[in-house]
Amino acid sequence: MALKPDVSAFGVSDSNSEATVPEEGGVDGVCGDDMSAKAGEGPEPADFCGKTITHNNDLDTTDMLPTSLSPTHYDIHLHPNIESGHVVGSVAIDAMLNERVERIVLHAKTIDIQSVTVYLQSAVVASVGPEAISYDAELETAVIELPSAIGGVADVPECAQLIIAFTGMVSDGMYGLYYSKCRDRSGEMSRMLVTQFQAKCARMVFPCWDEPATKAEFTLSLTVPTSFTALSNMPVAHTADHGALKTVYFERSPRMSTYLLAIVAGELDYIEAVSCSGPHTSSGERQPIVCRIYTPPADIDKVQFSLDTAVRVLERLVDMFDYAYPLPKLDLVAVPELEAGGMENWGLVLFRTVRLFITKQTSLWIRQKAVYVIAHELSHQWFGNLVTMAWWDDLWLNEGFATWIGIYMTDQLYPEWRRWDHFVIEDRQAALSADSLRSSHPIQ
């Protein structure tokens, strides 16, 4: 199957069924330790590296937004109140207006839009308040009714900009923007801010076109306490201090899907190393990429093995794909409370702490899982992030390939572990067991 950047063909499911991929002999694989389903029972939701994807009408293509506007850039500012959980935000969305419209439909869930101003060719053409905005809870959309139709006069796409002010709340689950418990520098219990946007939770944090094929560039700024380290997909451009608070401005990202945008903020420490994984220089050598692992302060001594592994994997993937790592930095973050075993946000990859914390006392089994999950998530920096499925029903190829890479790379780095022997016993047999169920069906 030919793959191309931005919208490829990667796939999963029949629209009214659920398929299972139990947690591997390593988190994220195609098989698992618990294959207790009885013949004829419906399988569990698919689980890739702990990421649960339920194949049902929640991700049906009939939920796709109109194509009258195509976003090209989001400039987002978020100010979460760490104590109350209240979030104040704004977003300027540059978009191509492809046809004449009387209303604008975009994704929004658990946020309240306060105002919308629309510009065409730098002139204000509409300005509305909350009274002109309605919400569809089932489709998770906001519909902005304009005072009069705009665009489409010459049948040529026009440059539009939407300025949207909104408010929201920090989520009480491990999705959207949420709190993860951790310990601060004094050893006291504290909280860090984390995002989990896959599959469709970016819309819980800011209004957007929250579909994998609808890519855009992102510029983000975040206001947090001065004691916090703030991270996102791109490096920090500059910081402005406001007494007890600071606003951190990040560099503009390349085009990517909304589900890959990420934020982490809290009291964190890091260790770093350099990987020769960037584009070629004039001398033929690859540019250095700084790789860091961030953890709560008390745990920074537990991640040296994982950092060494990440550098080795990144360099081998660049050689294997013959394609430079696309971003200027790579951060891995140990998150105490994370829905998945790992999440491949571009340039800011999140892991459960158990997948990064490796000490002399750590068992070989856990060590193998750590290498596997790191390789799996880093392979997504190309397959999934640079090349992305057009819709969620193609997720199986995205995750299936990363699963294979995780096993392959583990074997390449540590051949003495004989990972492919384990694959035959654990992964292959478990997959065949799942396939033998009466409820098994073709992927597509």
Side-chain angles (χ1 to χ4, degrees):
M1 183 181 297
L3 301 180
K4 59 183 180 179
D6 296 340
V7 277
S8 65
F10 289 4
V12 160
S13 107
D14 112 3
S15 62
N16 294 308
S17 63
E18 297 181 346
T20 191
V21 182
E23 195 165 79
E24 184 228 15
V27 179
D28 217 325
V30 180
C31 35
D33 305 324
D34 182 8
M35 294 301 299
S36 57
K38 299 180 180 66
E41 285 186 353
E44 297 299 317
D47 188 342
F48 298 99
C49 208
K51 299 174 203 126
T52 300
I53 302 297
T54 302
H55 312 312
N56 56 28
N57 289 330
D58 289 343
L59 297 177
D60 195 288
T61 55
T62 57
D63 294 348
M64 295 177 73
L65 293 176
T67 57
S68 51
L69 282 115
S70 305
T72 59
H73 176 247
Y74 295 85
D75 190 341
I76 306 162
H77 175 71
L78 298 173
H79 180 185
N81 185 306
I82 304 302
E83 300 303 322
S84 69
H86 186 255
V87 180
V88 177
S90 63
V91 58
I93 306 174
D94 296 330
M96 296 306 297
L97 181 58
N98 301 314
E99 59 188 58
R100 191 165 180 80
V101 297
E102 298 178 346
R103 63 186 59 83
I104 295 170
V105 183
L106 71 174
H107 286 118
K109 180 182 179 182
T110 67
I111 58 177
D112 293 316
I113 297 175
Q114 307 298 313
S115 65
V116 180
T117 303
V118 182
Y119 292 81
L120 273 183
Q121 309 297 341
S122 302
V124 176
V125 294
S127 184
V128 301
E131 69 284 349
I133 302 166
S134 60
Y135 301 90
D136 187 315
E138 182 178 353
L139 295 179
E140 300 177 354
T141 57
V143 180
I144 303 164
E145 299 289 347
L146 303 175
S148 58
I150 61 171
V153 175
D155 245 359
V156 175
E158 299 178 75
C159 297
Q161 186 179 61
L162 282 63
I163 308 294
I164 303 176
F166 60 91
T167 59
M169 292 293 295
V170 174
S171 170
D172 58 2
M174 287 186 285
Y175 43 81
L177 176 66
Y178 70 94
Y179 293 126
S180 173
K181 294 177 183 176
C182 61
R183 293 193 180 276
D184 61 19
R185 298 187 188 282
S186 64
E188 298 296 320
M189 288 304 300
S190 182
R191 294 185 292 189
M192 58 193 290
L193 286 168
V194 183
T195 55
Q196 170 61 41
F197 287 167
Q198 192 185 47
K200 50 178 192 173
C201 293
R203 65 192 70 179
M204 298 177 65
V205 179
F206 63 100
C208 57
W209 279 258
D210 198 10
E211 298 171 354
T214 309
K215 292 190 173 186
E217 297 175 351
F218 292 84
T219 304
L220 176 71
S221 59
L222 183 66
T223 300
V224 293
T226 53
S227 62
F228 276 26
T229 296
L231 305 171
S232 189
N233 307 77
M234 297 296 288
V236 173
H238 64 277
T239 302
D241 293 324
H242 318 294
L245 299 174
K246 64 180 179 182
T247 299
V248 181
Y249 297 85
F250 297 93
E251 295 178 10
R252 186 168 175 146
S253 79
R255 292 181 68 244
M256 64 182 188
S257 305
T258 49
Y259 80 89
L260 295 171
L261 185 66
I263 296 168
V264 173
E267 292 193 16
L268 302 168
D269 282 348
Y270 69 87
I271 58 173
E272 69 176 33
V274 174
S275 168
C276 297
S277 305
H280 286 293
T281 64
S282 56
S283 64
E285 298 179 349
R286 289 199 176 274
Q287 295 177 12
I289 300 293
V290 175
C291 300
R292 292 177 174 176
I293 294 187
Y294 287 84
T295 77
D299 300 309
I300 196 63
D301 61 339
K302 301 174 183 176
V303 292
Q304 187 63 55
F305 174 85
S306 295
L307 179 63
D308 295 342
T309 298
V311 170
R312 295 174 68 190
V313 167
L314 193 66
E315 292 178 346
R316 283 178 177 255
L317 289 174
V318 168
D319 290 340
M320 182 179 179
F321 300 150
D322 192 25
Y323 197 106
Y325 174 70
L327 297 186
K329 59 92 173 174
L330 174 64
D331 295 333
L332 286 65
V333 186
V335 179
E337 295 175 306
L338 186 68
E339 183 218 12
M343 178 59 210
E344 67 267 20
N345 310 303
W346 218 1
L348 185 64
V349 188
L350 309 186
F351 296 86
R352 287 181 189 161
T353 52
V354 70
R355 298 300 168 228
L356 292 184
F357 291 177
I358 304 295
T359 68
K360 292 180 178 179
Q361 290 73 42
T362 302
S363 70
L364 177 59
W365 180 244
I366 297 299
R367 198 174 292 258
Q368 289 175 349
K369 284 191 174 186
V371 174
Y372 165 81
V373 175
I374 290 170
H376 177 113
E377 301 303 341
L378 294 193
S379 74
H380 276 312
Q381 304 303 294
W382 288 266
F383 288 86
N385 299 4
L386 183 66
V387 180
T388 311
M389 66 259 162
W391 191 248
W392 296 109
D393 60 353
D394 282 332
L395 183 63
W396 72 273
L397 186 53
N398 184 0
E399 295 295 346
F401 181 75
T403 295
W404 180 85
I405 283 286
I407 298 171
Y408 172 82
M409 200 59 65
T410 302
D411 183 68
Q412 289 289 300
L413 296 182
Y414 298 97
E416 67 274 18
W417 291 351
R418 302 178 66 179
R419 185 61 183 85
W420 286 115
D421 290 352
H422 289 277
F423 173 83
V424 173
I425 298 168
E426 299 160 1
D427 307 77
R428 181 174 178 273
Q429 289 305 121
L432 290 174
S433 179
D435 191 52
S436 71
L437 298 175
R438 287 198 298 270
S439 55
S440 178
H441 58 84
I443 290 173
Q444 288 187 321

